[in-house]
Amino acid sequence: MRSLRVLLITMIVLYILFFVNSFFQSRREHVRVPEKVYSYLIENFNISPKSIIIDSKKAIGIVFYEGNYYLCAEDGSLVASLSKKDLFKFYPVFLEVNLEGLRLSKSDREILEMLIPILKSSVVSAVFFESKEVVLLKGSRIMFEEWKDLVENFQVIMEQSEKMKAKERYFLTDDGRLMWIRGD
């Protein structure tokens, strides 16, 4: 009987130690971030789950340009080069962009500025700047004529997203109608 009590107490202690240890491991570490950044683009900046972004600017997406991936801030500046694809689950990818040095071109920055509320909705997985197309997380592709049409009618897309078929193409009209494009 005594050996059963000892075994039970040992198991309870191990159980408590396991959950207490896993609780403390999941807590975030406090890291001091410098106020001034000396370079907008940090070459070979390896992103890992414990890395931080050394910039006070808020990241909004990932730019794919000439075979490389860069973390992009809300103002269109490139914050860091990405060697790993860990952040792809958190940020949409920006394709067909034009760069002026270490920033998006003026026209692409204007587009990005309009899209910030949409990008914060966490529904968009890719944005094609040149061909005016957006890919949602479920794989549905939305095409439109003007960027303002997308911004003004994004609520329609949110309401219809449950009914949209995965990996299908849709066209958003300027008056907010979402039409399925047949592949015939």
Side-chain angles (χ1 to χ4, degrees):
M1 191 70 167
R2 184 176 175 174
S3 63
L4 283 175
R5 264 191 272 152
V6 170
L7 180 66
L8 181 62
I9 291 171
T10 305
M11 290 185 68
I12 291 172
V13 168
L14 289 174
Y15 182 78
I16 291 171
L17 286 175
F18 174 77
F19 281 106
V20 169
N21 189 22
S22 63
F23 172 75
F24 285 114
Q25 284 180 350
S26 66
R27 299 187 83 164
R28 294 184 180 199
E29 298 175 15
H30 295 287
V31 180
R32 292 185 59 155
V33 179
E35 291 182 23
K36 283 194 172 185
V37 178
Y38 298 102
S39 173
Y40 282 107
L41 186 63
I42 301 166
E43 291 295 330
N44 301 320
F45 185 77
N46 293 323
I47 302 290
S48 70
K50 290 190 177 184
S51 294
I52 59 167
I53 299 164
I54 309 174
D55 198 325
S56 59
K57 297 177 183 177
K58 179 157 174 47
I60 196 74
I62 297 172
V63 171
F64 179 71
Y65 185 75
E66 294 183 357
N68 296 312
Y69 294 97
Y70 303 98
L71 198 58
C72 181
E74 286 183 351
D75 68 353
S77 61
L78 302 182
V79 178
S81 62
L82 298 176
S83 60
K84 296 182 182 178
K85 298 177 184 175
D86 294 340
L87 296 179
F88 280 52
K89 57 188 166 193
F90 301 114
Y91 299 110
V93 179
F94 301 151
L95 303 161
E96 300 176 352
V97 297
N98 296 311
L99 294 180
E100 294 173 352
L102 300 177
R103 296 175 63 99
L104 296 179
S105 67
K106 184 179 179 185
S107 61
D108 286 356
R109 279 188 305 223
E110 291 170 357
I111 293 168
L112 180 62
E113 188 176 307
M114 280 193 302
L115 294 180
I116 286 176
I118 292 171
L119 297 173
K120 288 182 179 179
S121 71
S122 302
V123 176
V124 176
S125 67
V127 178
F128 292 83
F129 277 66
E130 204 168 298
S131 58
K132 295 179 183 163
E133 190 172 343
V134 170
V135 180
L136 302 181
L137 285 176
K138 71 187 305 183
S140 304
R141 297 172 84 96
I142 315 269
M143 297 183 299
F144 42 89
E145 286 291 321
E146 297 294 328
W147 289 103
K148 68 175 182 63
D149 298 340
L150 175 69
V151 174
E152 291 172 358
N153 300 307
F154 192 70
Q155 189 60 34
V156 172
I157 294 171
M158 294 294 287
E159 292 167 0
Q160 301 271 332
S161 66
E162 293 291 321
K163 299 174 188 173
M164 284 190 227
K165 298 176 186 174
K167 299 183 181 179
E168 291 289 332
R169 293 177 157 277
Y170 295 88
F171 182 79
L172 180 67
T173 63
D174 59 350
D175 60 346
R177 288 183 287 150
L178 198 59
M179 299 185 303
W180 175 52
I181 299 175
R182 299 177 100 187
D184 298 336

